[in-house]
Every structure is written in C-alpha cells, then in structure tokens.
Amino acid sequence: MDMEPPLSDCSQQLLETLGNKGARVLELQRLLTACKSLGPENGGAGEAARAQIVADLLQKVGVEDILHVDCPDDRVPCGYRPNLVARIKGGTQKNLWIFGHLDTVGAGDLSAWHHDPWTVCQAGDFIYGRGVEDNQQAVCSMLILAESLQSAGIVPEIGLGLVFMADEECGSHYGLEHILSTVPNLFSGDDLYIVPDGGSPGGAEIEIAEKAQLWLKFTVLGAQCHASNPFLGRNAFVASSRLVALLEEGLRATFSQKNPIFIPPVSTFVPTRHPANVEAVNIMPGREEFFVDCRLLPEVSVESVMERISAITELASMELAVEISFETVHCQKSTSTPESSPILPPLQKAISAVYRVEPCLVGIGGATVAAFLRQKGLPAVVWSCLENTCHQPDERSSLTATCKDAIVFAHLLFPGLANG
C-alpha cells in the first residue's frame, strides 16, 4: 500500500516547487496584463474578464470551492463587479486568508513608458507592465500557491482562502466592502489575514497600522469681473491660494506630533485636486474649489482638525473678504492590528527564513483593504516584497519576489514548519 509522505516532506516539497515557478509567473503576468481590468471611474469595463480568467485557472487545477460574491453595477457592460472567494480545505477549521485585487489603474501618459504598458516586457528578473506589481504580483503568488498545492495533492495544516476583489483602486465599495456586508460570517476572528498590497524592497516591512483619512473640499466665493479692472470684483483664485498657504502652515504647526512607527512619522495635509474655474484668460474668477488630502496619526482626532480648519477659514474669510466653506468628501478612521496578533510571529519567522532580513512593523499613510478587515475586528497585516512602482510609468515586478512571497505564504499554511 502506498503511504502518504510525512507532513514535513510535503511542506518542503511545496517550498521547492514554488521556488521554481518563475516561468509560470511570467506566463500568468502576460495573460493578466493583456486583459485590461479598469473600473468605470478609470474608463474601463470592469474586472469581469479577468475574474473569469482567474476562476478558469483555479477550476483547471481542481479548486471547486469558489464563491461568487458579485456586486451590481450598471455602469459596466456585464452589470456587475466580480468578487471571487476560493477555498482549499486544510487539516483544521482554521484558515489563512490572502486578498488580492483584480482592478488596475490606467496607463497614464503613454509617452512616459518605454514599451506598451499592456504587454509584459521582461528584463532579467524584472517584468514591466501596468498592474504587474499592483496587484498582479499578489494575484500570481496566490495562484501559484493554489496550483502547487492542488497538483501535488497536498493538504495544508490550515485551510487556504483566496479572495480576488474588484474596485480596490476606487474605494472597494463594489469589492471587499460588498463581500463583508453580503457574507458577514465568511471570516472568523481566529483566522489569519494577510493583504499583499503593500511592502518594501527586500520584504522587511510589515504594515500593521494606517493613518486616518480625511478628504475635504473647499469652496471660495468672491466676485467675478473682467480681468482688466480687478477692483470691480474679488479674486477667488488669489484668495484660495492664500487659504492653501494658511491651511498648510496652520495645520502642520498645530498637529506636529510624531509617531515613529509610521512612514512618514507625522500627519500630512496636502492640497491636491483643483477643478477648472473660468473659461477665458480675461475673466477674473469669483469662485474657486480645491481639495485637501489629510492623513492623520492615531493621536490626532478628526474633530480637532476640523475645529482648527474652521478657525483658519473664519479668519481668512474676514482677511480676504470672501466667503469660505468646506465639506467632508471622505473620512476613514485610523486602523491598526495589535502587535500581539497571532499572525505576526510565524510571518516574521517566515520572512526572515525566506528573505534573510529582520522584519519590522510599520504604519503607513496610504490605504489598503486591510482597513475594512480591521474595522470588523479581523487582525489583518499588509505584507509583500515590492519595488513600490505602482501607478508609475514602467511599473515593474520581480519574478523571484513573486515566488518567494508564495513561499512565505506556504510557511503560514504549515505552522509546524513556521515554528520548527
């Protein structure tokens, strides 16, 4: 009678298999990159075609437990935004959940690219193309892990859950937020959660906290007139420019606290979008709008920032003889995963073993879907080994890092291996 190999032999076999998957990663990256997957906000038809590719790949290797949690959206041709939840049963009820998003941003200025952004270009260990890092590196790591488990017939010590989401680039309302509200009992507080949508070259940084997000829209009302006789009006452009400076100076000075776990270690207040105002050069604008993106340390409350802004705008309104109002466009509280979370010791040990670095815990000002998990009491961490070229021309990803990330995930599926 044939005997199943010992668990340690299975896990070691899996690690060796994953380490030799570079050619498969390149094949998957070419397939995914050629299938544009832009949300309607980015001028695309959604993620349905790419989701079908992923579902077909999983079914081809025998992954049968695939849950479709689609979200209606009449802005895309198929009428929905796809979300896939694939599961591979383990030896216990516990699961490792890995989250990857299916959408990408547009290519931007094509002249800034050195090649077609929708066709993968390889140069040694690096591949170039829109989405190859954000978030196809994670998706490929997830796929080769599932393929390797299934092809070898290996049952992991704990179950593997793979979540392929829509809409991450534009807020996740049609993605993870929809999944969490539609199937709220899918995830358990005892499971492990990792979001490979952030990281650092070398793989040392594990993100466990995110700053609060506060996006504000400011409206400045003066009086429009002909630019040849500016004394007949009140220039809202000049007033808004002065207001931007007052806000930057006042907010930075008031909220100067530092927290070394975050990168950068301070709260930030950044003027960003400025919609068009008047149609002609000879019109002095009487109305201006602009937006400010605030990323707040946990020590800084949204309420205190709003109070300070109210004081600044009140004084500026009197000084500049204009009407100033502001409103909240988006607000999300700071989220964090406790340093005592059970995923951290095995993850740190796995990273150290695979990448030969000393892992460190960090917080970021950016936003990931980990925030939605943390808000539900699910202690998610964000980690992968990334070049951090997302949303840039010549976005790139490492074939070796994609395989090694999958090896780190494999360690977590075998606690005996991670703790041995």
Side-chain angles (χ1 to χ4, degrees):
M1 178 182 294
D2 293 336
M3 298 289 291
E4 290 189 5
L7 184 61
S8 59
D9 291 348
C10 289
S11 57
Q12 290 297 337
Q13 174 190 347
L14 178 62
L15 302 188
E16 292 173 7
T17 299
L18 290 170
N20 294 315
K21 285 289 184 178
R24 178 56 174 161
V25 171
L26 177 58
E27 183 181 5
L28 291 171
Q29 285 277 23
R30 284 177 170 158
L31 182 63
L32 294 172
T33 303
C35 178
K36 292 183 182 180
S37 190
L38 280 67
E41 296 91 343
N42 287 317
E47 307 88 350
R50 183 173 288 183
Q52 188 61 56
I53 290 174
V54 170
D56 289 345
L57 290 168
L58 292 170
Q59 290 171 340
K60 186 176 181 180
V61 296
V63 178
E64 298 178 351
D65 188 354
I66 301 178
L67 176 67
H68 293 259
V69 193
D70 299 334
C71 183
D73 187 351
D74 59 11
R75 299 174 301 165
V76 295
C78 66
Y80 66 90
R81 309 292 289 281
N83 297 290
L84 304 177
V85 180
R87 286 176 283 192
I88 297 175
K89 190 174 182 180
T92 69
Q93 295 299 312
K94 191 170 186 176
N95 296 288
L96 167 67
W97 292 96
I98 309 175
F99 299 78
H101 64 84
L102 297 170
D103 58 326
T104 63
V105 296
D109 181 4
L110 294 179
S111 67
W113 289 77
H114 288 85
H115 55 84
D116 176 13
W118 305 110
T119 302
V120 165
C121 175
Q122 182 182 10
D125 184 53
F126 287 114
I127 55 173
Y128 296 80
R130 175 54 82 225
V132 295
E133 179 177 71
D134 183 22
N135 193 219
Q136 289 165 210
Q137 179 171 322
V139 170
C140 289
S141 292
M142 295 158 69
L143 288 173
I144 64 171
L145 178 56
E147 290 177 349
S148 299
L149 283 169
Q150 292 294 103
S151 62
I154 297 174
V155 178
E157 289 185 49
I158 67 174
L160 174 63
L162 302 175
V163 183
F164 301 92
M165 309 162 294
D167 192 37
E168 189 276 342
E169 296 291 359
C170 296
S172 293
H173 173 71
Y174 299 89
L176 185 55
E177 190 174 354
H178 175 73
I179 296 173
L180 290 169
S181 62
T182 304
V183 279
N185 298 322
L186 181 63
F187 305 115
S188 166
D190 296 327
D191 288 343
L192 306 177
Y193 299 89
I194 185 164
V195 178
D197 195 21
S200 60
E205 294 178 358
I206 304 172
E207 186 255 279
I208 62 168
E210 297 177 11
K211 295 176 182 176
Q213 301 172 50
L214 176 62
W215 296 352
L216 301 172
K217 175 184 177 182
F218 290 81
T219 302
V220 178
L221 297 177
Q224 180 178 308
C225 69
H226 197 287
S228 66
N229 196 352
F231 303 104
L232 296 178
R234 298 188 304 282
N235 195 323
F237 186 8
V238 172
S240 66
S241 300
R242 175 61 177 151
L243 177 59
V244 165
L246 291 172
L247 288 169
E248 280 198 294
E249 295 167 6
L251 294 173
R252 282 204 305 262
T254 304
F255 304 105
S256 59
Q257 300 97 320
K258 293 186 177 181
N259 187 328
I261 195 175
F262 284 94
I263 304 172
V266 295
S267 297
T268 57
F269 309 92
V270 181
T272 55
R273 183 168 171 240
H274 180 262
N277 48 22
V278 293
E279 295 80 13
V281 176
N282 61 353
I283 301 174
M284 189 178 81
R287 180 188 178 94
E288 286 286 333
E289 295 178 345
F290 65 90
F291 294 77
V292 175
D293 182 329
C294 308
R295 307 291 171 127
L296 312 178
L297 294 175
E299 302 90 315
V300 176
S301 71
V302 169
E303 293 75 18
S304 63
V305 171
M306 297 291 274
E307 289 176 5
R308 184 70 181 109
I309 290 175
S310 293
I312 292 172
T313 55
E314 185 176 350
L315 289 174
S317 180
M318 292 187 292
E319 174 189 335
L320 302 169
V322 293
E323 295 181 26
I324 301 172
S325 61
F326 65 95
E327 60 185 286
T328 300
V329 176
H330 170 70
C331 184
Q332 180 173 296
K333 292 184 178 180
S334 175
T335 62
S336 63
T337 290
E339 295 187 24
S340 59
S341 172
I343 194 175
L344 286 171
L347 177 58
Q348 289 172 307
K349 186 162 187 175
I351 294 169
S352 180
V354 176
Y355 281 101
R356 304 298 178 185
V357 295
E358 187 65 32
C360 59
L361 306 181
V362 302
I364 63 171
T368 71
V369 296
F372 296 102
L373 297 168
R374 292 168 183 154
Q375 289 166 5
K376 297 293 185 180
L378 305 173
V381 299
V382 178
W383 176 84
S384 57
C385 180
L386 295 178
E387 293 296 307
N388 286 326
T389 60
C390 64
H391 296 209
Q392 299 178 19
D394 294 338
E395 178 181 351
R396 70 178 183 267
S397 174
S398 162
L399 297 173
T400 298
T402 307
C403 295
K404 284 188 171 183
D405 284 3
I407 294 173
V408 170
F409 303 151
H411 273 76
L412 300 177
L413 292 175
F414 295 90
L417 176 65
N419 297 324

